[in-house]
Amino acid sequence: MQFLPLVLLVILFYFMLIRPQMKRTREHRDMLGSLAKGDEVVTSGGLAGKVANIGEAYVTVEIAENVVIKVQKSAISSVLPKGSLKAL
């Protein structure tokens, strides 16, 4: 009976902290796996551009005409809807 509050606390931590973080990690991994050439992305540093080439660990992103940078795949924070960069 003394361990019941401890067990409840562990269960609460699992459902409130651990499980949501695992879900976000899985969604980010799936998003990186589905990247394709021509996708419009935003990096964790805030740069927005179009994917020019995809490697094993790095992605080449064109951020302006004839300006190409290479970033780690894990630095891609989100994929934008098609045509989002033209609106900017």
Side-chain angles (χ1 to χ4, degrees):
M1 207 57 172
Q2 292 174 335
F3 293 112
L4 185 61
L6 184 62
V7 170
L8 290 175
L9 190 62
V10 169
I11 291 171
L12 181 70
F13 269 113
Y14 176 77
F15 282 106
M16 298 297 286
L17 297 174
I18 298 170
R19 191 168 171 229
Q21 181 61 37
M22 288 174 29
K23 183 179 177 187
R24 279 192 295 271
T25 303
R26 184 173 41 251
E27 289 172 352
H28 188 255
R29 189 174 0 125
D30 293 343
M31 185 243 340
L32 291 178
S34 67
L35 272 179
K37 187 175 178 180
D39 284 347
E40 296 175 355
V41 297
V42 176
T43 66
S44 58
L47 294 173
K50 188 178 287 192
V51 174
N53 193 7
I54 300 174
E56 192 68 29
Y58 293 95
V59 176
T60 305
V61 179
E62 183 177 2
I63 57 173
E65 202 169 311
N66 296 326
V67 179
V68 179
I69 61 170
K70 189 177 272 194
V71 297
Q72 288 182 334
K73 263 189 179 180
S74 60
I76 304 293
S77 63
S78 64
V79 176
L80 299 172
K82 295 282 184 186
S84 295
L85 293 178
K86 291 184 182 186
L88 300 174

